[in-house]
Structures are given as C-alpha cells and as structure tokens.
Amino acid sequence: MASIKMKSVDAVVIGGGWAGSILAKELTEAGQSVVMLERGPDRSTASEGAYPGSIDELEGNFRHKIFQNLSKTSVTIRNTPDQTALPYRQMAAFLPGEGVGGAGLHWSGVHFRMPPDDLIMRTKVKEKYGEKFIPEGMNLQDYGVTYDDLEPFFDKAEKVFGTSGEAYTVNGQVVGKGNFFAPSRSDNFPLPALKDVYGANMFRKAAEEVGFHPYAMPAANASAQYTNPYGVQMGPCNFCGYCSGYACYMYSKASPNVNILPALRNDPKFELRAEAHVLRVELDSTKTKATGVTYLDRKGNEVFQPADLVIVSAFQFHNVHLMLLSGIGKPYDPVANEGVVGRNFVYQNVTTTTAWFDKSVYTNQFIGTGGGGVAFDDFNSENFDHGPLGFIGGSPVWVNQAGIKGIAAAKIGGPPGTPHWGSAWKKAMVDTYQHSVRMDAHGTNMAYRDVYLDLDPTWKDAYGMPMLRMTFDWKDNDIRMNRYVVSQIAKVTKAMGARDVHLGQRQPGEHFDTRFYQTTHLAGGAVMGDDPKTSALNRYLQSWDVSNVFVIGANAFPQGTGYNPTGMVAALAYWSAHHIRTTYLKNPGPLVQL
Amino acid sequence: MQGLAGAAALTSTTLPVHAARSAGESAYSPTFFTPAEWAFLHAACDRLIPQDAVGPGAIALGVPEFIDRQMATPYAFGKLWYMQAPFVQGPANLGYQLPYAPRDIYRKGIAGAATFVQAKYGKAFGDLDAATRDEILSGFEKGDTLFGDLPAKIFFAQLLGNTMEGAFSDPSHGGNKGLGGWTTIGFPGARADFMDWVDQYGKQYPLGTVAISGETA
C-alpha cells in the first residue's frame, strides 16, 4: 500500500488537459474540493510560450518539448491479433501530450461540433440502408446522446474557447455563409471567422465553382481580442504559424492553461499537483466503488489520495490503460466479442493531397493558423448517399494551413518521385515550397471487432506496469471511403488551376504504418452508450461498473470522427459535469438505471 | 531564455566559421565525433545537401557542428525514446526496434560505412569523388547493407534527418549558418507575425529571414 496517505477530498481529477480542467472548474463551482493530478510538469505561456525562444521548430516539432516523453511509458502496436505487438519507441504516427494543458496545449485549434447523424450512426445507417449494409465485424454504435442533448454544451465550450467561425443557421434562421450541412445553433460563434490564407481562398472559390459547399473552419484561434466567461483574455491571432506543437505566444490559441486554469489556480478549493503519475484508481472490496487514487509524486513516493469522486480525464488511451490497470469494467475479449474496456478502439483516416502552382504564385505556406482554413462537408457524415457507394463513413475535406516551417519543408521536399537529398531534392523543394497548397481528406474510421486495446504481455513502463497494447489496421470499408472522397478532390484542384497535383489516397490492403505521422486523434476504447454489453460508460460518461468514476475523453467515441475531436471532448466534459452537478452530487450512484 | 543562450553561442562562433569556410575547414572542434568520424560526416553531409547554384550546402551551413552539438542532448542518449528491452525485430511498419540511441547509431554506422567503403573502394569515403559518394549513399538509403546488426538504411535515415534539421533549424543549434538554409527556400524564420500578409494573395512575402537571436539575413 501507499506510504503516504493524503487528507480526503471530494473529487480527484486525473490529467490536467481540457477534460480535467473543465471538470475541475465545474466541480469547484459546485463547491467541491478538487485535487488535480498531472503526471507531467506545470506549464504556462510565460515559460513554454515565451517569444521568441518558444518558436523553435527543432524543439517544438522534432524534439517534442511539450509532448509525452516515451522513455517513461509508451504503447505497443501490431496490425492483427496474430502478430507480436512491438513498442512504439519513437514519436511518429501520433503525438500524445504531457504536462499541464495536456494535448490541449500543443493542439492546433480546430474546434468542431459533431454532425448529428454521427452520434446516432448505427440507427441512421440501419434506417437509410438496412442492417445488412453494416459489414461483418464492424461494431457500429450510437453514442447514447443526441446533438440536441449536447447543443448547450457545444455552445458553452465555444464561449470558453473563444472560437472563431461563421454560422450557417442560428435557431433555424440562416444567418451567414457557414457550413451548409451544420446543424442549427443556439447562438453564433463568439468571434467572427479568421481570414482565409491564400491557399484556403483558392480552395474556397474552386469548391464553390464545382458545386460543393465551402465554409470557414471553426477555430479556437481568436480572430480578435476576447474575454471568456471565466474572465480570462485572449489576444488576436497573427497567423505566426506556430500552433501545433507550441504554447501560443500570442494568447490566441485556446488552451486549458490560458482559458481555464487562470480562473482555477487561485481557488482555495482547487489544488494542482504536477509531476504526479497516477498508477491506479483504488477500488473497495466490492469493486463497485472507488476509494481514491494511488500515484507517484515527483520524489517517487507512493501516495494515496482518497476521494469520493474520481474523474479519469487523461488522454484517450491513458484513460483506457488506467481502467485496465485498475480493474474498472470488464476487459474486451475480441474472440467472444464480449467485455467493453478496450472495445471499439478507433483512429482517424487522414490523407493529404498536394497541388503545385506556377512559380509566380506565392502561397506562403509559412503563414498559418492551426484551426483556420476552408472546408467542405459534401462527403462527410450522411450529407451524401452511401447506398450506391457501399461504404460507411466520410471525410470533411479542407485546406488547414497551420504553417509549414523550414525543417518540415525540407522533409516534404519536392513532389513524389523526386529524390530526398542532393541537388535534385534541393531544386524541387525550392521550386515548390512557396508555391503549393496542401489539403486533407480528414476521414472517419469505423470500429471493428479485431481492432482493440488490451494490456501487453511483455513490455512494461518505467513504473513496472504492463504497457497498453494497440491492435489496429486499416480496413477495406475505410480505405474505399478515403479513395472515393479523395477522387472528388480532383475536381477542386482542377478548378484551382493547379500546375500539378498529387492525390493522397490510401492503397487497397494498406497496413497502418507507425513510422509516419498520421494524426493524434485516437479515440474509443472505453465508449459511451446505452448498453453496458457494448459500452464501458453510460451516456453521462459514468462507469457502468464503478459509479463514482467518470471517464472523460475521446475514449468515449464509438467511431472515429472525421472532425477533430477536441470540440466533442469539451462538450462531453461539460455535459457530464452538468449531470454530476445537477443529479449525481445530490444522490451519488448510477445515473442510468437498467 | 533559450534564445539568448543560443545567441551567445552563435556570436562566439560565427566569425571564426565564416573565416575558416574559405579555407574549406570548420573551426569548430567536435566533442563527440572522432577526427575520422568527423571527416566522414563532412564528406556525407556535403553530398546530402551539396553547395550549388540553388544555395549553400550542408558544410557551409554548419550541419556537422549541429549534429555534434545534438550528440550532447538527451535526444542523442535515447532519453526521448522508449528503450526498454526486449528488443524484438518485426515488420518495418511497426517502427524502430533496435537498442541503439542516436549516439550509438552514428558510432556504429560510421564505422560500418567506413569498413564497407574501404573494402569495396580501397579508400576512405572522404577521398572518393562526389559521384561515387552519391552512389554509396544511395545504396545505403535503398539497399539491404548491414553494419553488423544495424541496417545501413537506419543509419542513413538518422543522418539525413539530422542533416535536414541542421540546415533548416534556428541557428542557435549550430546549423543554418548565416540563415542560409532559410534564405534558400524563402522561410522567414522567427518573424512569426503575418497579420499584414494573410490576405496579400499570391504575392511574395517582402521581409527577410530572422533568427531567434535577432540575427537577420
């Protein structure tokens, strides 16, 4: 047992990212005493974001200064259940965060609401195409919440984040040129949309010309000065191009550090303990109630923090890992297709297309903002007829120019087929760097019976715990979806007048490759839902099995969304917090009775 | 903080390196690489980013100095990588699975490459002409040569990655001397404020490159 026992608190929050900061804020507002445990260091704009030292591409994007240090703990990965999973030893395919702010400090800022039909995907697909349309082995599920349930919380999150965007409909009335396919909103965005960079503007015009419906991407990068409901201030984004991988020196990109923690740090009911690595949530002898958490402090002491309520709000896969290590919920068994913790592990299906322009046309790819850009949703969600296409899912398509800097430019080099070094590489890079536009098909990824998370039998982390094992591969449905949507991009690049184009498409039979960056938008593994046989959490993100544990994060998504996950994570955090405040705290126990 | 330290280091080395460049030799004294390794590193980097009409090469940009200085950072000791045993080899798409940190990869890789070149050409790598060096490097990049249990491919990828980092990172790390890498491609560096150029559609950005230290080019 632990060598140090702390005084009991009302709630302990594991992880200092968006989800943890939102829950800590909401719980202290409800009068709860809250201890937040963050395994990484404390971070703030004044240190990690101090200009000009902070805008160092080598440190930010290549030595991953504000990301997870894999030397302590990583995961193992394999494509199929019959393989031996091997450790993810170097940061590549995905880049989890660490430290106060979590992934919410290094993120880009793309801030979406979920498409309503994606929340009821199984119901919708069955209704439109029939149950037989769902391929064998696909665990297609609903979230157990609807867009209408979540709308007030999407709205609240946007106001806290200072999100810039342009609405299409507010309270059913068309108000602007926003996303034609987006659901109605109760209020407009708190800030107007950011300006289009040139590439995004060319993309907007071309997409319109070919009959698609382009819109300004919703971005938690402030287009103007802003004070959020907590009284904290943001400055206007200056398109510096140092969003993803950096603490924003302009206080323009929303982060827990800028938008929430300044309102929490001085609250006497709140205590932040950084460099506190949680080993497990402790359960009582009935295994239905958590008694608190055990963690290692910065000196290596084992500490037990008792609490009435435990909020598990680390990154998606760390949440699943902690549930497995703590014995919360039944681990998933892919052979029997039973159990829920580790089930419906999903990713996101992103490929990049490049268009090259004449050398007289300067696209200035170094100008950028992480969340801004122009997108169209004509091939996302149920905005198009999947019937004749025979796949489930879709992709928004966008130009999201976040700022391509020197080292990245060198590694991208020239068009495919040119050498990666030598004079030919150099010439190709110089000829293309300032004259290219990159666009992404940012697609969904469905859940499959043999894609899951469990504990690795061989490799351990620096704390002696078995590491999490990922079994993941690309599947035919998702590859076909990507190929179809990307083929539609060709119409846009043609209308853009590109000199040359490379359509980035997945290849049939392609395997997941851990060596190249794809996206950090991992999801699922401890999903929400209405049925405890297929979900680890109920619709309020409360563990079905241990009712004083709530697990907040992208782990709750039953399918990988085409949108960036943070907007949904923040809305779910506010949704869960609302029900904890209004119902759970008055009468602790399961919020859903079966 | 970091920027200021970098600026101090830069000021102390800029002049000697510029002066020495014409003599074809770096004034920087490596702390990790041995003289033989240092010669190999120069001869290889010189081909990865050659000096040509497009712009300066890796040697003029101080890439070997950058790599040597990186060898003293936690990264080079493998402290940013998961390095717990067992080390089991598997399909390439599951990623790097050797017990070697960057320092080990350079040490073993350069030794392996030198032996390979000596056996095949009877000369040191640095004594070969540019075309032959290119052919050898290309073989390492694409072929199946092994230096003991270290694939030449892994060594090459390490060297190429660090070379690109050196040529195009902030000069405070020892490379990108005189901001030559950034100037070549038109990257304005630490300028990081484009409020006035976001909607100047299609036009070339008018201001020059600047480093974290404030050095301009």
Side-chain angles (χ1 to χ4, degrees), chain A residues 106-356:
Chain A
H106 74 69
W107 75 315
S108 300
V110 179
H111 186 185
F112 275 105
R113 298 177 171 206
M114 284 287 280
D117 288 344
D118 284 12
L119 298 175
I120 50 165
M121 212 169 198
R122 183 176 186 87
T123 301
K124 201 76 193 174
V125 166
K126 269 175 70 179
E127 178 189 302
K128 279 183 85 170
Y129 314 111
E131 189 153 17
K132 283 190 178 149
F133 198 74
I134 303 169
E136 172 68 28
M138 184 189 285
N139 285 339
L140 192 66
Q141 292 178 207
D142 294 349
Y143 279 70
V145 287
T146 65
Y147 175 78
D148 289 341
D149 290 331
L150 294 180
E151 202 287 333
F153 306 100
F154 282 124
D155 181 69
K156 182 162 186 171
E158 287 168 0
K159 289 183 162 84
V160 170
F161 285 44
T163 302
S164 305
E166 184 172 13
Y168 180 64
T169 46
V170 173
N171 295 320
Q173 301 296 309
V174 175
V175 296
K177 291 163 74 177
N179 183 5
F180 170 80
F181 298 103
S184 186
R185 311 161 51 89
S186 60
D187 198 357
N188 215 319
F189 286 96
L191 289 172
L194 292 152
K195 285 178 179 173
D196 294 351
V197 298
Y198 185 40
N201 194 258
M202 281 197 271
F203 179 82
R204 179 192 290 277
K205 286 181 176 161
E208 216 155 56
E209 198 182 309
V210 300
F212 300 151
H213 297 80
Y215 63 91
M217 291 171 69
N221 313 87
S223 61
Q225 192 182 342
Y226 182 72
T227 303
N228 85 359
Y230 301 143
V232 300
Q233 298 185 332
M234 302 174 80
C237 169
N238 68 357
F239 296 84
C240 81
Y242 292 85
C243 301
S244 188
Y246 303 84
C248 172
Y249 80 87
M250 289 290 288
Y251 294 84
S252 307
K253 180 180 77 178
S255 65
N257 316 60
V258 167
N259 296 58
I260 300 178
L261 289 165
L264 260 178
R265 286 180 189 269
N266 293 329
D267 190 321
K269 291 188 294 296
F270 174 75
E271 185 190 343
L272 167 65
R273 292 183 204 146
E275 295 170 68
H277 181 91
V278 175
L279 297 172
R280 63 192 164 270
V281 177
E282 302 289 357
L283 305 181
D284 73 2
S285 58
T286 68
K287 305 290 177 196
T288 59
K289 186 171 183 288
T291 56
V293 307
T294 296
Y295 67 93
L296 293 176
D297 72 10
R298 71 188 61 177
K299 291 177 184 156
N301 297 312
E302 201 168 292
V303 181
F304 176 59
Q305 173 61 62
D308 294 334
L309 177 62
V310 176
I311 306 295
V312 181
S313 51
F315 190 70
Q316 170 263 343
F317 66 76
H318 299 312
N319 283 351
V320 179
H321 192 213
L322 267 178
M323 290 179 80
L324 290 168
L325 292 176
S326 308
I328 299 170
K330 188 179 174 189
Y332 176 61
D333 171 356
V335 177
N337 202 23
E338 283 172 4
V340 287
V341 183
R343 192 177 192 274
N344 280 47
F345 169 51
V346 291
Y347 200 21
Q348 194 168 51
N349 190 4
V350 183
T351 59
T352 301
T353 288
T354 310
W356 293 279

Side-chain angles (χ1 to χ4, degrees), chain B residues 30-43:
Chain B
T31 59
F32 173 76
F33 293 105
T34 65
E37 289 171 336
W38 191 237
F40 176 91
L41 194 63
H42 275 72

Side-chain angles (χ1 to χ4, degrees), chain A residues 51 56 63 69 79 87 89-90 195-196 238-240 249 362 364 421-423 426 434 459-460 512 514-515, chain B residues 48 50 52 55-56 70 79 81-82 84 86-87 92-93 97 141 165 173 185 190 192 194 199 201-203:
Chain A
Y51 178 86
D56 183 332
R63 299 293 177 266
N69 182 338
N79 293 130
R89 296 187 181 275
Q90 304 171 331
K195 285 178 179 173
D196 294 351
N238 68 357
F239 296 84
C240 81
Y249 80 87
Y362 284 83
N364 296 324
W421 52 278
S423 284
K426 202 169 166 189
Q434 297 198 67
W459 281 276
K460 292 186 164 41
F512 171 51
T514 68
R515 296 171 298 174
Chain B
L48 296 178
D52 58 23
Q70 282 295 304
K79 301 221 163 130
W81 295 353
Y82 178 78
Q84 300 298 314
F87 290 89
N93 70 310
Q97 299 296 338
E141 180 186 25
E165 289 170 358
H173 299 290
I185 60 169
F194 304 111
D199 44 8
Y201 290 165
K203 292 185 195 163

